[in-house]
């Protein structure tokens, strides 16, 4: 549009894309998912331990996806990626953190003690 | 893998055998069917007789012009607004007919004329349509039209993606309309009350219609959000620093950050529900590790930001309209921008107030209560800024200004009742009552008021002529009477303990107030008539209603610095921005000539039919998934992938308009503008010589004409 050059491959946003990065991101996300699935299917831990472990694995998977698939990092050259990355953190803390807090109190107040979770 | 289904299933026709079980002798549905059939036939007949098929195809269906896409978004929104209004009429008439044990029943209903199962579908469709397929497309349409013009861009950052967003929204709307005649719609409320949406409780296809239409539409909205954010960040005209971006574009940025971050949550939530219904997982069931509350939680993590997604553009439009008709700059630009961003930020931490009563601890409720009340601070800042803008301004009460002032009134009343609901103690009392309904209709009406303000305000920019003022004012007043008569009784009924979603009113003492609401709906019906009359009369009188570049004479931002109607390339040469209120600055410095010293080549995107094809394919995909016709779903999904891949290899997506051709087209526009100017006492400012000086636009001159 307002650019004079219309070859998409010349855009810096496109240039930083790499097939290797996407493949690693995908493989990593898939691996994390299969590990979680395996843990759940084999009942490897107590329900509470399982929930915690899966939550941690999910966190790792999210970070890997942000880096490998969305190319979000703290570089100076891609300032809008840095902004997006910095913006992800409070959103993540709010959405996931507040949800955890709320479900924790909900479980404490409404679930019978000793029934798991 | 797949869940065992009740009822018929066939490898070729999927669950379509189910439709034999639905009753098609219902006069209500038959009326709707006839209405759309006759309407559609008339439209097709007119298109053929007037020879408009080619125009329709090349000017509209395959266009990537942001203004035309915006207009189509608004038309889809208005059609769905009308459909949603019909649903509202049915709800109100049903309740008015079903008061007391002796109220008669018709057409299979014990009371009134809608059996509970049908009424449940009606209010589900009403809510879902009004929020996702009426208000959202109208706002997205206005953002689409106005933002590139305000920031001096030629088009959106991704014109092709823009068209795709439109056609996905259209196919979502089409799915909902199809559900009216083929099968049924969800009966579980627009929020998808869990576990009602689970397969054992809703074995039909209604919930699937609801899921897939929202899912397809929200993909469109997310793409639109990406596009608008990229446009505002990357495509501002030279000189337009962040401190000079018009407030509407700022609120659009805030809005679309919300959309981009919240709509994926909705997508995931509905996907999990889809897994429950199709694959037999247990994310939201009470058994096998599922959690009912998780659905409500996830839904509102999207749902509350969505409230600010619709309200922030409304604030932006008011911030453009109030200064224009107060003939002053906006008071407190910086605080306005900060307030918009603050609302966007806080929008992410308030969602739990939608389920204060579910059993969370006092600390949790207190936290979310305080977070909710925090929204009142930036909103209050905004209201005061508008009031200070009006203070000692030369106020003119053209139709957009009336709608804008109505918006401020509704914001104050809706905000106050919102503050009440933010107190958990009050919430425990009025929870699930029609008080809540009145509150959020109050807020959505605010958005509708602002949208009507915006449409009337920017209409002359897009089409080159104004909407009829007299009928516009009648539309405003009848709509306002309707709002007062429907929602004040509803607030009162809420305090009296009337719960929401009733198909039968057991308490005869509520009857007078329910009748008052019915009268209000009557006023709304009158307002629909005035709206249609306004459009028809304005189109008929379009020659007399023509305007110059600055349609209102006192406009302030950059979009008024190009011709009305806007050429498809927006600006003949990319404008250089000098001030926050660029057009007002140019008018004051007599730099408002639209004739540049020389013309340059313009690069424009080519029309493409791929977005239309993708939209239609996703409609087929949605329909196939709803009826579980797997071969068709697989085929259309494959076709979507193929179309995307083929399009991505298309290198030749733009073309150049040579400078000479631009000069010729510009000359036509300048001639037209001169003609409008010389026609004498036309409403609005000139295009060639610039805007009318503010002094001659004093309010008493204006009022004499009305």
């Amino acid at each position: 549009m307002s650019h004079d050059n219309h070859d998409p491959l010349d855009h810096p946003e496109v240039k930083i894309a790499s097939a290797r990065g996407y493949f690693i991101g995908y493989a990593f996300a898939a691996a994390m998912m299969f590990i979680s699935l395996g843990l759940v299917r084999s009942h490897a831990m107590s329900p509470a331990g399982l929930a915690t472990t899966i939550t941690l694995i999910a966190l790792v998977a999210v970070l890997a996806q942000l880096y490998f698939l969305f190319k979000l990092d703290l570089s100076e050259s891609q300032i809008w990626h840095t902004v997006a990355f910095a913006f992800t953190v409070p959103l993540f803390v709010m959405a996931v953190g507040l949800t955890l807090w709320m479900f924790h109190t909900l479980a404490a107040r409404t679930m019978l003690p000793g029934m798991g979770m | 893998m797949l869940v065992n289904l009740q009822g018929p299933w066939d490898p070729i026709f999927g669950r379509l055998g189910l439709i034999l079980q639905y009753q098609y002798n219902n006069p209500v549905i038959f009326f709707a069917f006839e209405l759309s059939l006759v309407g559609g036939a008339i439209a097709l007949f007119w298109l053929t007789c007037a020879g408009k098929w080619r125009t329709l195809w090349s000017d509209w269906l395959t266009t990537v012009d942001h203004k035309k896409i915006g207009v189509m978004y608004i038309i889809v929104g208005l059609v769905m607004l009308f459909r949603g209004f019909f649903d509202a009429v049915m709800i109100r008439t049903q309740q008015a007919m079903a008061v007391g044990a002796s109220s008669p029943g018709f057409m299979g209903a014990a009371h009134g004329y809608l059996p509970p199962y049908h009424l449940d579908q009606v209010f589900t469709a009403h809510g879902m349509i009004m929020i996702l397929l009426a208000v959202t497309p109208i706002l997205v349409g206005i953002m689409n039209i106005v933002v590139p013009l305000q920031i001096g861009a030629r088009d959106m950052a991704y014109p092709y993606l823009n068209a795709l967003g439109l056609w996905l929204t259209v196919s979502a709307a089409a799915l909902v309309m199809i559900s009216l005649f083929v099968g049924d719609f969800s009966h579980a409320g627009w929020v998808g009350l869990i576990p009602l949406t689970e397969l054992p409780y809703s074995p039909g296809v209604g919930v699937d219609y609801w899921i897939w239409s929202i899912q397809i539409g929200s993909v469109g909205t997310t793409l639109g959000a990406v596009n608008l954010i990229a446009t505002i960040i990357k495509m501002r005209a030279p000189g337009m620093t962040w401190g000079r971006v018009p407030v509407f574009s700022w609120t659009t940025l805030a809005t679309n950050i919300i959309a981009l971050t919240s709509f994926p949550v909705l997508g995931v939530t509905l996907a999990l529900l889809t897994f429950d219904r199709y694959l037999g997982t247990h994310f939201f069931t009470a058994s096998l590790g599922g959690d009912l509350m998780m659905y409500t939680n996830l839904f509102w993590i999207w749902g509350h930001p969505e409230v600010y997604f619709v309200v922030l553009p409304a604030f932006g439009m008011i911030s453009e309209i109030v200064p224009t008709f107060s003939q002053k700059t906006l008071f407190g630009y910086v605080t306005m921008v900060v307030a918009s961003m603050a609302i966007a930020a806080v929008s992410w931490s308030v969602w739990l107030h939608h389920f204060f009563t579910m059993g969370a601890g006092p600390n949790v409720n207190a936290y979310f209560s305080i977070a909710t009340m925090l929204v009142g601070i930036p909103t209050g800042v905004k209201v005061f800024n508008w009031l200070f803008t009006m203070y000692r301004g030369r106020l003119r009460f053209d139709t957009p200004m009336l709608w804008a002032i109505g918006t401020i009134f509704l914001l104050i009343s809706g905000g106050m009742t919102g503050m009440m609901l933010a107190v958990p103690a009050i919430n425990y009392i009025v929870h699930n009552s029609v008080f809540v309904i009145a509150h959020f209709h109050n807020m959505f009406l605010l958005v509708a008021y602002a949208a009507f303000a915006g449409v009337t305000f920017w209409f002359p920019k897009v089409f080159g002529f104004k909407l009829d003022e007299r009928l516009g004012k009648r539309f405003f007043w009848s709509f306002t009477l309707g709002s007062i008569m429907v929602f004040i009784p509803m607030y009162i009924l809420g305090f009296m303990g009337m719960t929401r979603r009733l198909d039968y009113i057991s308490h005869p003492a509520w009857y007078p107030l329910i009748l008052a609401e019915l009268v209000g709906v009557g006023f709304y019906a009158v307002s629909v008539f005035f709206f249609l009359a306004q459009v028809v009369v304005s189109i008929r009188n379009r020659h007399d209603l023509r305007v110059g570049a600055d349609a209102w004479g006192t406009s302030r931002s950059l979009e008024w610095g190009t011709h009305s109607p806007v050429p498809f390339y927006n600006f003949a040469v990319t404008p250089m921005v000098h001030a926050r209120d660029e057009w007002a600055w140019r008018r004051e410095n007599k730099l408002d000539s639209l004739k540049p010293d020389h013309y340059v080549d313009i690069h424009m995107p080519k029309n493409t039919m791929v977005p239309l094809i993708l939209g239609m394919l996703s409609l087929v995909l949605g329909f196939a998934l709803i009826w579980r016709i797997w071969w068709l779903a697989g085929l259309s999904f494959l076709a979507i992938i193929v179309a995307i891949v083929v399009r991505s290899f298309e290198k030749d997506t733009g073309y150049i308009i040579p400078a000479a051709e631009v000069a010729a087209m510009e000359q036509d526009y300048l001639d037209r503008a001169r003609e409008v100017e010389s026609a004498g006492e036309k409403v609005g400012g000139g295009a060639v010589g610039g805007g009318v000086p503010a002094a001659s636009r004093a309010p008493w001159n204006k009022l004499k004409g009305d």
Side-chain angles (χ1 to χ4, degrees):
Chain A
M1 285 304 312
S2 65
H3 316 287
D4 291 308
N5 197 328
H6 296 287
D7 186 354
L9 294 178
D10 286 344
H11 283 266
E13 301 86 5
V14 179
K15 268 187 174 169
I16 61 166
S18 75
R20 200 167 135 262
Y22 288 132
F23 180 75
I24 294 174
Y26 177 75
F28 196 80
M32 291 298 113
M33 202 180 74
F34 280 116
I35 290 173
S36 313
L37 187 68
L39 287 176
V40 174
R41 285 184 69 92
S42 63
H43 299 277
M45 294 169 216
S46 67
L50 206 52
T52 316
T53 314
I54 290 179
T55 309
L56 289 176
I57 292 176
L59 183 64
V60 173
V62 165
L63 289 174
Q65 286 181 8
L66 287 177
Y67 182 73
F68 287 114
L69 301 184
F70 295 104
K71 309 286 175 199
L72 298 187
D73 54 24
L74 298 174
S75 72
E76 292 269 336
S77 54
Q78 292 294 322
I79 188 71
W80 287 108
H81 287 207
T82 310
V83 169
F85 191 51
F87 189 57
T88 309
V89 176
L91 273 185
F92 196 83
V93 171
M94 268 193 238
V96 180
L98 290 177
T99 299
L100 281 175
W101 180 38
M102 179 246 301
F103 274 98
H104 176 73
T105 65
L106 189 67
R109 289 164 57 85
T110 60
M111 293 307 208
L112 295 173
M115 295 285 285
M117 282 306 287
Chain B
M1 266 304 256
L2 293 172
V3 194
N4 281 326
L5 289 168
Q6 301 173 17
W9 185 82
D10 180 279
I12 294 172
F13 295 108
R15 301 184 88 193
L16 276 170
L18 266 184
I19 61 175
L20 300 174
Q21 296 173 3
Y22 297 119
Q23 292 196 341
Y24 281 97
N25 52 4
N26 186 323
V28 180
I29 293 175
F30 185 68
F31 172 71
F33 186 60
E34 274 201 334
L35 198 69
S36 43
L37 213 61
V38 171
I42 290 175
L44 291 181
F45 186 70
W46 178 78
L47 278 171
T48 312
C49 286
K52 295 280 187 200
W53 279 105
R54 183 169 291 276
T55 324
L56 182 71
W57 178 259
S58 56
D59 281 5
W60 295 96
L61 297 183
T62 60
T63 189
V64 290
D65 182 345
H66 71 97
K67 298 172 290 295
K68 284 181 175 163
I69 289 174
V71 169
M72 286 189 280
Y73 260 119
I74 293 172
I75 291 173
V76 171
L78 285 174
V79 169
M80 295 313 282
L81 192 72
F82 184 66
R83 157 85 205 270
F85 169 68
F86 244 83
D87 291 335
V89 171
M90 287 167 74
I91 299 167
R92 292 269 68 84
T93 44
Q94 164 68 21
Q95 289 199 339
M97 285 169 74
V99 180
S102 56
S103 57
F106 305 96
M107 299 191 298
H111 299 274
Y113 67 106
L114 295 171
Y117 182 67
H118 192 179
L119 180 79
D120 294 352
Q121 290 179 43
V122 171
F123 66 64
T124 304
H126 171 75
M128 187 263 173
I129 285 173
M130 284 304 204
I131 293 169
L132 287 162
L133 294 172
V135 166
T136 303
I138 293 176
L139 292 178
V140 172
I142 296 175
M143 293 192 272
N144 242 309
I145 293 171
V146 176
V147 166
L149 291 172
Q150 272 196 337
I151 62 171
R154 288 234 183 280
D155 203 319
M156 297 280 265
Y158 311 109
Y160 159 75
L161 202 66
N162 199 18
L164 181 57
L166 167 75
W167 291 111
L168 289 176
T169 308
V170 170
S171 67
L175 270 185
V176 177
M177 294 309 260
I178 289 172
S179 78
L180 197 53
F181 313 123
V182 186
D184 56 4
F185 198 65
S186 171
H187 59 122
W190 84 272
V191 298
L193 295 168
I194 206 83
L196 256 183
T197 43
E198 293 282 356
L199 198 60
Y201 304 92
S202 302
V205 292
V207 176
D208 301 327
Y209 265 114
W210 173 82
I211 287 177
W212 290 108
S213 52
I214 295 182
Q215 195 70 285
I216 291 172
S218 71
V219 170
T221 311
T222 314
L223 294 180
V226 172
N227 209 345
L228 279 159
I229 292 173
T231 307
I232 296 171
I233 289 179
K234 291 282 188 189
M235 308 224 353
R236 281 167 293 135
M240 182 165 281
T241 55
W242 284 110
R244 290 179 185 165
V245 173
V247 176
F248 180 69
S249 294
W250 264 114
T251 56
T252 302
L253 183 65
T255 297
N256 285 293
I257 291 172
I258 295 175
L260 185 62
T261 48
S262 70
F263 268 89
V265 181
L266 177 68
V268 169
T269 313
L270 291 179
L272 295 179
L273 183 62
T274 312
F275 289 156
D276 276 8
R277 283 182 67 84
Y278 284 67
L279 303 176
T281 55
H282 290 273
F283 289 108
F284 303 133
T285 60
S287 58
L288 292 167
D291 193 330
L292 299 176
M293 277 321 300
M294 188 49 102
Y295 174 83
T296 311
N297 182 56
L298 287 174
F299 185 87
W300 287 112
I301 286 183
W302 160 77
H304 203 85
E306 160 74 12
V307 173
Y308 298 107
F309 171 82
V310 295
V311 94
L312 276 172
F315 291 169
M317 287 185 258
I318 301 312
S319 307
E320 299 292 334
I321 291 166
V322 167
T324 299
F325 295 101
S326 303
Q327 315 194 18
K328 273 174 69 187
T329 71
L330 180 71
F331 182 91
Y333 170 88
V334 175
T335 50
M336 214 60 162
V337 171
V338 173
S340 303
M341 288 297 165
I343 291 173
V346 178
S347 78
W348 268 92
S349 55
V350 301
W351 76 90
L352 189 130
H353 69 226
H354 290 269
F355 39 94
F356 270 149
T357 57
M358 80 171 189
N363 288 337
V364 174
N365 280 357
Y367 173 88
F368 282 93
S369 165
I370 293 165
T372 306
M373 290 182 192
L374 277 181
V375 179
I377 297 171
T379 314
V381 167
K382 279 174 175 277
V383 171
F384 281 113
N385 280 346
W386 294 322
L387 297 185
F388 282 128
T389 306
M390 284 193 257
Y391 177 65
R392 305 193 72 172
R394 287 175 194 277
L395 263 65
R396 243 161 64 211
F397 296 98
D398 298 49
T399 329
M401 185 63 167
L402 285 184
W403 287 111
I405 291 173
T407 309
I408 298 174
F409 270 99
L410 285 169
L411 175 61
I412 293 167
S413 63
M416 291 295 176
T417 50
M419 286 298 122
M420 289 169 71
L421 288 169
V423 179
I426 299 179
N427 201 294
Y428 267 85
I429 296 170
V430 291
H431 166 81
N432 230 17
S433 76
V434 291
F435 183 84
V436 179
I437 312 299
H439 160 70
F440 74 66
H441 277 82
N442 198 158
M443 294 312 279
F444 269 97
L445 273 171
L446 169 176
V447 180
Y449 268 62
F452 289 136
V455 167
T456 335
F457 184 60
W458 280 298
F459 187 91
K461 184 83 275 183
V462 178
F463 293 102
F465 60 97
K466 278 190 179 182
L467 286 170
D468 188 88
E469 279 283 307
R470 215 163 60 101
L471 285 163
K473 284 180 179 163
R474 290 186 185 176
F475 172 39
F476 170 78
W477 286 114
S478 48
F479 195 87
T480 302
L481 275 174
S483 306
I484 291 170
M485 285 296 283
V486 172
F487 294 106
I488 288 177
M490 202 179 275
Y491 274 125
I492 301 171
L493 283 168
F495 279 135
M496 292 164 84
M498 180 170 160
T499 50
R500 63 198 291 194
R501 306 185 179 118
L502 290 182
D503 73 300
Y504 165 66
I505 315 289
S506 58
H507 207 317
W510 297 339
Y511 195 34
L513 287 168
I514 286 170
L515 281 183
E517 289 181 25
L518 194 63
V519 173
V521 167
F523 281 120
Y524 274 136
V526 172
S527 81
V528 172
F529 168 76
F530 280 131
F531 172 74
L532 294 175
Q534 183 194 21
V535 173
V536 171
V537 168
S538 311
I539 290 176
R540 201 187 61 198
N541 298 343
R542 60 188 177 278
H543 191 77
D544 297 333
L545 292 167
R546 283 182 311 169
V547 290
D550 184 357
W552 306 101
T554 51
S555 312
R556 312 196 64 83
S557 43
L558 193 56
E559 74 267 29
W560 304 100
T562 182
H563 307 285
S564 315
V566 186
F568 62 93
Y569 45 81
N570 288 1
F571 296 90
V573 290
T574 302
M576 179 71 98
V577 179
H578 311 83
R580 190 173 282 163
D581 284 348
E582 174 66 11
W583 183 245
W585 182 87
R586 290 192 187 192
R587 191 170 53 221
E588 279 151 25
N589 292 291
K590 303 277 177 266
L591 294 170
D592 47 4
S593 166
L594 292 187
K595 200 168 163 32
D597 46 6
H598 70 288
Y599 292 102
V600 290
D601 292 354
I602 294 178
H603 182 264
M604 291 300 292
K606 270 185 187 167
N607 277 14
T608 166
M609 62 176 176
V610 181
L612 178 65
I613 293 174
L614 287 176
M616 295 308 107
L617 284 174
S618 55
L619 175 62
V620 175
L621 175 65
F623 187 81
L625 286 168
I626 288 160
W627 293 94
R628 301 180 196 223
I629 311 171
W630 304 123
W631 65 270
L632 186 59
L635 209 63
S636 47
F637 186 69
L638 200 68
I640 288 173
I641 302 286
V642 169
I644 292 172
V645 170
V646 167
R647 161 75 195 189
S648 67
F649 280 96
E650 177 80 57
K651 285 267 166 42
D652 182 26
T653 56
Y655 65 101
I656 304 280
I657 320 170
E661 214 171 295
V662 176
M665 284 188 279
E666 280 291 301
Q667 197 52 50
D668 285 349
Y669 278 104
L670 289 168
D671 290 345
R672 178 193 175 279
R674 196 164 292 121
E675 201 184 317
V676 172
E677 282 227 313
S678 61
E681 289 287 309
K682 282 282 176 274
V683 196
V688 185
V692 181
S696 73
R697 309 289 309 165
W700 46 89
N701 287 345
K702 189 74 199 77
L703 286 172
K704 257 190 290 182
D706 292 325

